[in-house]
């Protein structure tokens, strides 16, 4: 009797655990099955190699994803260029330089930033950065890739900082002490011993931070202008994959080519973040091995 | 500056100053965002703003329906996400063996954490709105957000369970209790504050999300309050989005948008703060 109950409880909890696999598999299945319809109706090559995304209008509809991918990659690359060095610098600062008091002040602020909803960050980009960038670069409006990049950099900072900091503090103390004992100064120790030892963990942090930037929706919808054109630089308005889904999904008829094509965009987005998550996983696994050594 | 200091300035002190300046810059950026929003939004907050519905084509009045809608949806999110997340964490920490299945479950959870919120929204549209015919409703949006909170809730709940010393489990088992009995009476009670912290963090994330509810039930404007979980709803983050970008007179309603932003940030950060205080209190108790 007792054993049956035990077994039932075990099975019950297992079922809840399995749900994580089911949800991830379900997302994959729904995205893929709708994408297959899109690729059947649009064609694989026109979809992946097409420059023109024109769901409706006087001319024939066209569903080429390249412009959207370029928009996403540009705004994410801009965010990465800012967020990676700044994030690692902050992590090193918090882990190696800051006094306990400074940590007590700075860390909660970083955590606070992680909690701010993306729509609020987007709003900030719209009302503050937008006019500021317009004046700074003398352009008609500041809703540009640059605006989105700066905001996304800010939003990926908490991820990069907290995970990098964990990796840095996990470096065995002996490494640092040996370096200092050999006469290296503190900066040399950070640069040549601690950072290389924490490389895997810091890389994982960067992957997860970039993953967050690629998948971010509301911020780019509000801050980048959403012009359907191939991006011509950081001062041009761009349209990301996420923004396209957010803007067009509401008006699209259920089970139309356009509906399927949006799911295909979602599938490509999902694939990108999936790869970044896997890479982060591999790096974290490596980092764990270093810490054990 | 003496000789020693001068020698070290370029190779050692200088890089550290740069690191500190970078951190201060980030600090100031975050503080400025809060300052700007509070400065321009705080004056808008009034009793009427909190308790009245929008008036005159959303150019005046308050945001009560959006606050209420967010509360309703968060309630469904909690019902959908919290038990499942909690049970999954119990499985992973208490029952799971070190085998392939466990590794796949963990890998799935970490990947779910990285899935863009917009993709959760599409999943919600395809599954809840269309396949299960829940339509655009509080139910569909709440379930979608519930899925989104799962990785946060599972991960933090597992941390909390992990921090319960094995002696607690073994003590109960040695007295002849069954495994489930020992988990129920010894493990869960001592891990509970930590689990609750994770649940609040997960819910606070869901409360601020916009992309997943865009097409699963959030409405531009509703003349009536929602009457059941089948109704569409207004929500704070979506309300901020439309007041900032979709309204026919965006410049005119900017103060209202700022006010909405203040309320949204306050709600979300209050939840975060509650979670942090709970965690700190719990840690002290464990040590004490």
């Amino acid at each position: 009797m007792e054993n049956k109950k035990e077994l039932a409880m075990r099975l019950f909890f297992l079922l809840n655990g399995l749900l994580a696999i089911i949800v991830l598999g379900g997302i994959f299945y729904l995205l893929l099955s709708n994408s297959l319809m899109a690729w059947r109706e649009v064609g694989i090559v026109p979809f992946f190699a097409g420059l023109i995304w024109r769901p409706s209008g006087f001319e024939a509809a066209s569903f080429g994803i390249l412009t959207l991918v370029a928009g996403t990659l540009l705004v994410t690359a801009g965010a990465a260029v800012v967020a990676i060095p700044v994030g690692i610098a902050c992590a090193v600062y918090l882990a190696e330089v800051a006094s306990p008091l400074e940590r007590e002040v700075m860390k909660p602020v970083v955590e606070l930033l992680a909690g701010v909803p993306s729509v609020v960050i987007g709003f900030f980009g719209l009302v503050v950065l937008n006019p500021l960038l317009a004046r700074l670069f003398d352009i008609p409006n500041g809703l540009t890739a640059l605006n989105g990049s700066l905001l996304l950099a800010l939003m990926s900072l908490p991820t990069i900082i907290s995970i990098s900091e964990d990796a840095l503090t996990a470096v065995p103390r002996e490494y640092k002490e040996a370096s200092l004992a050999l006469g290296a100064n503190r900066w040399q120790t950070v640069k040549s011993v601690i950072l290389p030892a924490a490389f895997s963990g810091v890389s994982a942090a960067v992957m997860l931070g970039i993953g967050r930037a690629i998948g971010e929706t509301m911020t780019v919808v509000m801050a980048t202008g959403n012009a359907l054109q191939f991006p011509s630089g950081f001062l041009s308005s761009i349209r990301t994959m996420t923004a396209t889904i957010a803007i067009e999904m509401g008006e699209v008829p259920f089970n139309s080519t356009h509906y399927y094509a949006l799911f295909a965009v979602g599938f490509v987005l999902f694939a990108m973040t999936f790869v970044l998550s896997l890479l982060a996983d591999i790096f974290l696994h490596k980092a764990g091995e270093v810490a054990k050594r | 500056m003496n000789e020693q200091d001068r020698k070290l300035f370029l190779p050692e002190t200088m890089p550290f100053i740069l690191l500190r300046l970078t951190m201060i810059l980030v600090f100031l950026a975050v503080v400025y965002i809060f300052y700007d929003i509070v400065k321009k939004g705080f004056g808008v907050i009034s009793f009427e703003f909190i308790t009245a519905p929008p008036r005159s084509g959303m150019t005046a009045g308050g945001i009560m329906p959006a606050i209420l809608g967010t509360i309703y949806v968060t309630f469904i999110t909690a019902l959908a996400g919290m038990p499942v997340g909690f049970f999954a964490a119990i499985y992973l920490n208490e029952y799971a063996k070190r085998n392939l299945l466990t590794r796949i479950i963990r890998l799935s959870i970490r990947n779910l954490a990285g899935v863009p919120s917009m993709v959760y929204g599409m999943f919600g549209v395809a599954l809840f709105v269309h396949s299960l015919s829940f339509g655009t409703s509080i139910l569909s949006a709440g379930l979608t957000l519930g899925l989104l909170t799962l990785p946060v809730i599972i991960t933090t709940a597992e941390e909390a369970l992990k921090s319960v010393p094995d002696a607690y489990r073994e003590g109960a088992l040695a007295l002849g209790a069954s495994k489930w009995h020992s988990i129920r009476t010894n493990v869960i009670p001592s891990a509970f504050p930590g689990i609750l912290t994770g649940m609040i963090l997960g819910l606070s994330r869901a409360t601020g999300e916009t992309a997943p509810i865009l097409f699963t039930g959030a409405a531009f404007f509703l003349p009536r309050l929602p009457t059941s979980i089948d109704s569409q709803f207004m929500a704070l983050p979506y309300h901020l989005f439309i007041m900032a970008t979709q309204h026919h007179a965006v410049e005119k309603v900017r103060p209202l948008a700022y006010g909405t932003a203040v309320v949204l940030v306050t709600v979300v950060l209050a939840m975060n703060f509650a979670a942090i205080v709970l965690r700190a209190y719990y840690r002290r108790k464990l040590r004490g």
Side-chain angles (χ1 to χ4, degrees):
Chain A
M1 187 61 217
E2 189 62 21
N3 271 342
K4 257 187 196 158
K5 194 182 159 199
E6 279 298 299
L7 191 69
M9 288 316 290
R10 170 187 285 274
L11 278 177
F12 171 72
F13 289 125
L14 170 65
L15 216 64
N16 284 283
L18 287 178
L19 201 75
I21 304 180
I22 297 171
V23 173
L24 189 68
I27 291 176
F28 181 78
Y29 170 77
L30 272 173
L31 288 175
L32 183 65
S33 61
N34 283 303
S35 301
L36 287 175
M37 296 298 290
W39 295 329
R40 188 178 306 159
E41 291 179 18
V42 180
I44 288 195
V45 175
F47 178 78
F48 282 104
L51 273 175
I52 297 170
W53 181 272
R54 187 176 51 217
S56 59
F58 295 113
E59 295 163 83
S62 167
F63 298 97
I65 197 180
L66 272 189
T67 298
L68 314 179
V69 173
T72 291
L73 290 184
L74 182 73
V75 79
T76 306
V81 166
V82 179
I84 295 174
V86 171
I88 296 177
C90 291
V92 170
Y93 176 75
L94 287 174
E96 300 293 331
V97 188
S99 68
L101 179 72
E102 285 172 310
R103 275 177 59 91
E104 289 294 311
V105 179
M106 299 293 184
K107 272 209 80 155
V109 169
V110 175
E111 282 175 17
L112 215 62
L113 178 62
V116 179
S118 59
V119 66
V120 174
I121 302 282
F123 181 61
F124 180 79
L126 183 72
V127 293
V128 178
L129 271 190
N130 172 19
L132 188 75
L133 291 177
R135 215 172 328 128
L136 211 60
F137 294 101
D138 198 22
I139 42 179
N141 80 65
L143 298 177
T144 54
L146 180 64
N147 193 337
S149 288
L150 291 174
L151 298 176
L152 290 184
L154 201 65
M155 294 181 75
S156 50
L157 276 180
T159 309
I160 298 183
I161 294 176
S162 66
I163 299 175
S164 298
E165 199 208 339
D166 286 346
L168 291 167
T169 40
V171 172
R173 227 179 47 184
E174 290 82 356
Y175 287 30
K176 187 174 163 186
E177 286 165 355
S179 164
L180 293 174
L182 285 171
N185 69 40
R186 284 167 66 206
W187 170 242
Q188 286 169 330
T189 304
V190 166
K191 189 181 59 168
S192 319
V193 176
I194 298 178
L195 269 177
F199 179 79
S200 299
V202 173
S203 306
V206 167
M207 295 299 147
L208 292 173
I210 294 178
R212 175 144 194 221
I214 283 191
E216 187 43 60
T217 309
M218 299 320 288
T219 307
V220 287
V221 169
M222 295 170 84
T224 60
N226 304 313
L228 260 178
Q229 62 190 14
F230 199 84
S232 56
F234 278 104
L235 293 182
S236 68
S237 166
I238 53 134
R239 173 79 86 85
T240 65
M241 298 193 282
T242 49
T244 304
I245 300 169
I247 291 166
E248 296 175 7
M249 192 85 182
E251 296 138 24
V252 63
F254 182 46
N255 284 355
S256 62
T257 307
H258 188 188
Y259 178 87
Y260 295 137
L262 287 176
F263 272 85
V265 173
F267 182 78
V268 174
L269 185 68
F270 176 78
M272 285 180 171
T273 51
F274 190 83
V275 168
L276 283 171
S277 292
L278 282 186
L279 281 178
D281 232 55
I282 293 168
F283 281 125
L284 277 181
H285 189 73
K286 263 194 196 157
E289 278 171 1
V290 172
K292 257 180 257 156
R293 227 181 276 154
Chain B
M1 228 189 253
N2 61 35
E3 183 63 22
Q4 179 76 16
D5 283 348
R6 201 171 306 138
K7 247 197 221 151
L8 277 175
F9 183 76
L10 265 185
E12 183 174 27
T13 314
M14 189 63 190
F16 279 15
I17 290 177
L18 282 177
L19 292 178
R20 175 172 281 138
L21 283 179
T22 313
M23 184 75 239
I24 290 174
L25 203 70
V26 171
F27 178 84
L28 290 179
V30 178
V31 170
Y32 184 75
I33 292 179
F34 283 103
Y35 166 77
D36 180 74
I37 287 169
V38 170
K39 186 185 78 178
K40 294 182 190 147
F42 197 72
V44 183
I45 311 280
S46 64
F47 185 71
E48 195 213 347
F49 190 70
I50 304 292
T51 56
R55 277 184 290 109
S56 329
M58 294 208 290
T59 55
I63 55 168
M64 184 268 284
I67 297 177
L68 217 55
T70 288
I71 293 174
Y72 289 159
V73 172
T74 307
F75 188 68
I76 300 291
T77 306
L79 285 182
M82 288 185 351
V84 177
F86 176 46
F87 297 145
I90 290 182
Y91 175 75
L92 284 173
N93 199 59
E94 306 295 329
Y95 288 97
K97 300 194 178 67
R98 288 176 64 100
N99 56 21
L100 186 66
L101 180 68
T102 309
R103 278 188 59 191
I104 297 178
I105 293 179
R106 286 184 194 282
L107 194 68
S108 303
I109 293 169
R110 283 197 296 270
N111 269 299
L112 280 177
V115 171
S117 55
M118 190 68 252
V119 171
Y120 277 101
M122 304 186 86
F123 182 66
V125 170
L127 182 67
F128 300 127
V129 177
H130 291 306
S131 296
L132 297 175
S133 306
F134 295 157
T136 48
S137 60
I138 293 178
L139 182 62
S140 293
L143 291 175
T144 308
L145 289 174
L147 295 179
L148 181 111
T149 59
L150 274 186
V152 184
I153 294 180
I154 297 176
T155 321
T156 42
E158 206 194 335
E159 281 306 311
L161 290 169
K162 212 179 279 171
S163 70
V164 177
D166 271 339
Y168 285 37
R169 298 177 181 86
E170 286 152 7
L173 293 175
L175 289 171
S178 66
K179 185 165 174 112
W180 164 235
H181 195 258
S182 114
I183 294 171
R184 187 163 46 97
T185 55
N186 282 16
V187 179
I188 295 177
S190 35
F192 192 69
I195 294 169
L196 202 61
T197 304
M199 290 179 173
I200 300 174
L201 283 178
L203 286 186
S204 88
R205 184 174 163 208
T207 303
E209 280 289 353
T210 316
I213 62 172
L214 278 178
F215 313 116
T216 50
F220 197 91
F221 173 74
L222 294 170
R224 274 184 300 273
L225 292 175
T227 49
S228 76
I229 53 172
D230 293 329
S231 314
Q232 289 194 318
F233 59 96
M234 292 172 72
L236 279 173
Y238 186 57
H239 191 66
L240 171 56
F241 172 61
I242 56 176
M243 292 303 260
T245 62
Q246 312 283 300
H247 196 277
H248 60 85
V250 275
E251 291 300 333
K252 192 178 160 205
V253 297
R254 192 105 306 158
L256 294 177
Y258 265 109
T260 311
V262 170
V263 174
L264 176 62
V265 168
T266 307
V267 169
V268 171
L269 291 188
M271 291 169 87
N272 274 324
F273 189 68
I276 291 169
V277 169
L278 198 68
R279 189 175 60 192
Y281 171 75
Y282 172 58
R283 279 205 184 131
R284 200 170 317 134
K285 220 176 97 184
L286 260 191
R287 252 186 255 132

